[in-house]
Amino acid sequence: MANPLASDLDAMRRLLESQAHPGRYAQRFHVVPPVGWLNDPNGLCQLGDTFHAFFQYSPFNAEGGVKMWGHVTSPDLVTWSYEGAALYPDQPFDVSGVYSGCAFVKDGTMHVFYTGNVKREDDENYDYVNSGREANTIHVETKDGFNFGPKRVVMDNSDYPADVTEHVRDPKVWEFEGRYYMVQGARKQDDSGEVLIFVSDDLAHWELVNRVTSCTSFGYMWECPDYFELPDPDPLHDHKLLRVLSVSPQGLHGGDWDRRNVYQSGYFVVRGDITGTCWLKPFALWDAGFDFYAPQTFETAGGKRRILIGWMGMPDEPAYTNPTIEDGWQHCFTIPREVTALHGRVRQWPVHELEWHRTDERSATGELTASDTQTFDLLVEGIGDETFEATIGGGLRLSWDGDVFRMVFTDDKVGAGRVQRYEHLDDLTNVRVVGDTSSVEVFVNDGELTFSTRYYPDTYSLSVSSPGALIQLWGLDV
Ligand code: FRU
């Protein structure tokens, strides 16, 4: 490693990783940082037979710090191997952090685009919104995900519109009819969020083609945008393609937002052409649980499936202290979820490869209890008009009363400060819950609604009650 800053960061990272002891809440099959802090999934892609995922990584501080890209690979989206760090903040244009971005695969080359974050040395006149900050768009190529070419700045703040603040970031690239498109999230000077859309013919020169926002202001900043299209097979739905713009808005207040997380992630269905005339349908939440933010999607080779991975974490939540901080690490990814469209909405479902790891099947009608459920996969089907209730790890309750689906911590230790999340739901047909040592992901009605949370039980047990429903439970051996 020729760059002395990168080689020293590399040596420090390796030293800390060699001393890591993740402790009792270590996850079995979720991507975690070996030590320190993890946030957004970055650069998700498939290259050859291998899936690559990168993550916002601060190995030096479990409560966040300077960001680099950690790297994991997988043959099957379920078993992941840690591969070290891929990109360090080692250049003047990314020195305050290798921020979030994507990996666009073209002819066997991974084109990585990310935001080079620069915060200039403190000056009392800087507010770090309109001054003191740089958001550089960086392009770097790799043929294997391990050896990277030179970092090139393809855009800086002077390339973004004059009425946006210095908060512009998180490029995501796709190809359409031979041209390349990029979305970036932005905060406008009037404190509203929007998505900037750029076009390129060579991945090096980019030009602004559109700016997309909602009819009325919806938060002050939109982070981590993503755009994709899904076939919508519903014959009653008159649009054959569902066009989806995913964003993570910050600054939503009032009404239902006040009982939800501090920041949100969700999607707008787009009517029209995202690069030209279009409008956004109402925002739908990706996940209504406590821990979900900044998801990214990618297409598997040949465009067969679209997979979404979220950050199972939430920044800036005052009522919560993650107990794993004591063990020197914090946060993880969600399990990869396949996304599909139905009735003009997006559904999320755990990738089917997870089912290969099911062991020890138990099933019952109406009621089931079990212990030794450190890792589990639970499926409850045929719920009909009856109620549904489940208690997990002695302190996390899921319930549906015909009107509202709730996730409630009944034991403060298990919830580490969290209390409840809920959404209105008129009909409940099925619930799937995937549990790892310190996380629970709930998929309601074939994944139309999901709730994800970290949890910290003393003992692992499960009890489910739903009169007349078929309840199936497996262990997961990954
Ligand atoms: C979202 C985010 C991104 C940014 C990254 C920095 O969680 O704030 O907008 O690129 O995290 O770690």
Side-chain angles (χ1 to χ4, degrees):
M1 214 172 275
N3 182 310
L5 177 54
S7 63
D8 281 0
L9 290 171
D10 191 65
M12 283 159 63
R13 171 188 66 78
R14 286 171 191 271
L15 178 68
L16 286 171
E17 288 173 355
S18 72
Q19 297 166 350
H21 297 287
R24 59 175 302 199
Y25 294 119
Q27 295 277 61
R28 296 275 180 90
F29 56 92
H30 284 77
V31 171
V32 292
V35 67
W37 162 282
L38 165 151
N39 59 299
D40 314 354
N42 294 154
L44 306 181
C45 64
Q46 181 177 3
L47 195 64
D49 292 334
T50 304
F51 296 102
H52 293 260
F54 300 85
F55 56 91
Q56 287 287 285
Y57 186 22
S58 289
F60 311 132
N61 186 346
E63 297 188 67
V66 67
K67 302 288 165 58
M68 56 186 69
W69 276 29
H71 183 200
V72 289
T73 58
S74 173
D76 58 8
L77 295 166
V78 179
T79 50
W80 292 94
S81 310
Y82 176 63
E83 306 285 4
L87 295 167
Y88 288 102
D90 58 2
Q91 299 294 325
F93 49 73
D94 65 9
V95 72
S96 313
V98 178
Y99 269 18
S100 286
C102 65
F104 170 71
V105 176
K106 179 76 185 168
D107 302 330
T109 296
M110 216 192 262
H111 293 266
V112 167
F113 292 87
Y114 71 88
T115 301
N117 181 46
V118 177
K119 277 179 95 175
R120 292 198 207 99
E121 194 175 347
D122 207 1
D123 169 319
E124 52 190 63
N125 294 317
Y126 289 157
D127 65 358
Y128 296 106
V129 176
N130 288 293
S131 57
R133 190 182 275 278
E134 287 172 28
N136 300 300
T137 306
I138 316 296
H139 176 202
V140 53
E141 294 178 33
T142 169
K143 289 207 173 292
D144 57 9
F146 294 88
N147 299 291
F148 288 79
K151 296 173 174 177
R152 296 202 165 88
V153 181
V154 294
M155 283 189 275
D156 63 24
N157 290 76
S158 67
D159 297 298
Y160 314 139
D163 63 346
V164 300
T165 65
E166 291 175 350
H167 283 279
V168 175
R169 57 179 168 266
D170 310 333
K172 177 83 195 312
V173 171
W174 74 96
E175 185 177 3
F176 181 67
E177 293 183 345
R179 304 194 84 189
Y180 307 107
Y181 294 88
M182 175 195 288
V183 276
Q184 298 227 43
R187 172 174 183 166
K188 291 177 68 181
Q189 284 166 1
D190 66 3
D191 272 342
S192 62
E194 69 170 356
V195 166
L196 305 176
I197 302 181
F198 301 89
V199 65
S200 172
D201 290 314
D202 58 5
L203 295 168
H205 302 87
W206 294 89
E207 194 188 317
L208 184 76
V209 280
N210 206 8
R211 305 172 68 171
V212 177
T213 192
S214 43
C215 302
T216 53
S217 174
F218 195 70
Y220 59 79
M221 170 70 189
W222 289 5
E223 295 192 307
C224 298
D226 195 354
Y227 176 77
F228 55 90
E229 297 174 351
L230 296 171
D232 190 343
D234 182 2
L236 297 175
H237 183 232
D238 51 348
H239 302 270
K240 299 256 175 320
L241 265 189
L242 196 71
R243 301 189 165 93
V244 181
L245 178 66
S246 169
V247 292
S248 292
Q250 297 182 310
L252 296 174
H253 299 294
D256 286 334
W257 299 117
D258 291 343
R259 64 172 170 82
R260 296 190 176 123
N261 295 336
V262 55
Y263 305 135
Q264 311 298 330
S265 287
Y267 64 90
F268 298 101
V269 168
V270 180
R271 286 279 185 264
D273 173 9
I274 186 102
T275 68
T277 307
C278 66
W279 59 277
L280 304 181
K281 296 202 37 167
F283 185 76
L285 274 186
W286 278 124
D287 191 293
F290 295 95
D291 289 293
F292 189 92
Y293 195 63
Q296 186 177 89
T297 71
F298 74 103
E299 262 187 339
T300 60
K304 291 199 193 88
R305 298 194 283 165
R306 184 160 292 270
I307 310 295
L308 175 145
I309 299 178
W311 169 30
M312 205 169 359
M314 181 54 58
D316 306 331
E317 280 283 10
Y320 171 61
T321 305
N322 186 332
T324 64
I325 296 171
E326 281 178 23
D327 296 314
W329 68 282
Q330 200 174 184
H331 304 313
C332 63
F333 281 177
T334 65
I335 42 173
R337 304 168 175 186
E338 183 164 351
V339 290
T340 52
L342 189 69
H343 301 301
R345 284 184 61 91
V346 185
R347 300 187 301 179
Q348 304 168 57
W349 199 245
V351 291
H352 63 78
E353 290 86 343
L354 189 67
E355 293 161 32
W356 302 344
H357 300 272
R358 285 173 170 171
T359 57
D360 195 13
E361 177 173 339
R362 280 159 276 183
S363 69
T365 304
E367 252 175 78
L368 188 146
T369 57
S371 52
D372 292 329
T373 48
Q374 182 167 348
T375 56
F376 69 88
D377 191 349
L378 168 75
L379 184 61
V380 185
E381 291 176 302
I383 298 174
D385 297 330
E386 301 291 347
T387 56
F388 164 84
E389 217 176 278
T391 301
I392 304 169
L396 176 61
R397 225 174 122 232
L398 306 176
S399 67
W400 179 70
D401 58 7
D403 183 29
V404 175
F405 193 98
R406 281 176 212 279
M407 165 179 267
V408 181
F409 282 105
T410 54
D411 178 334
D412 190 49
K413 191 182 163 291
V414 181
R418 269 82 186 271
V419 183
Q420 78 160 326
R421 289 289 178 263
Y422 65 90
E423 294 298 325
H424 291 282
L425 186 71
D426 290 336
D427 299 299
L428 181 66
T429 52
N430 58 65
V431 178
R432 181 162 174 203
V433 187
V434 175
D436 199 343
T437 313
S438 54
S439 69
V440 167
E441 289 163 85
V442 184
F443 300 83
V444 176
N445 287 350
D446 299 311
E448 270 188 36
L449 177 63
T450 68
F451 289 80
S452 301
T453 191
R454 301 298 301 285
Y455 83 139
Y456 308 95
D458 279 335
T459 53
Y460 291 95
S461 62
L462 190 71
S463 70
V464 187
S465 148
S466 185
L470 171 65
I471 306 171
Q472 286 167 284
L473 177 69
W474 297 267
L476 285 171
D477 187 9
V478 182

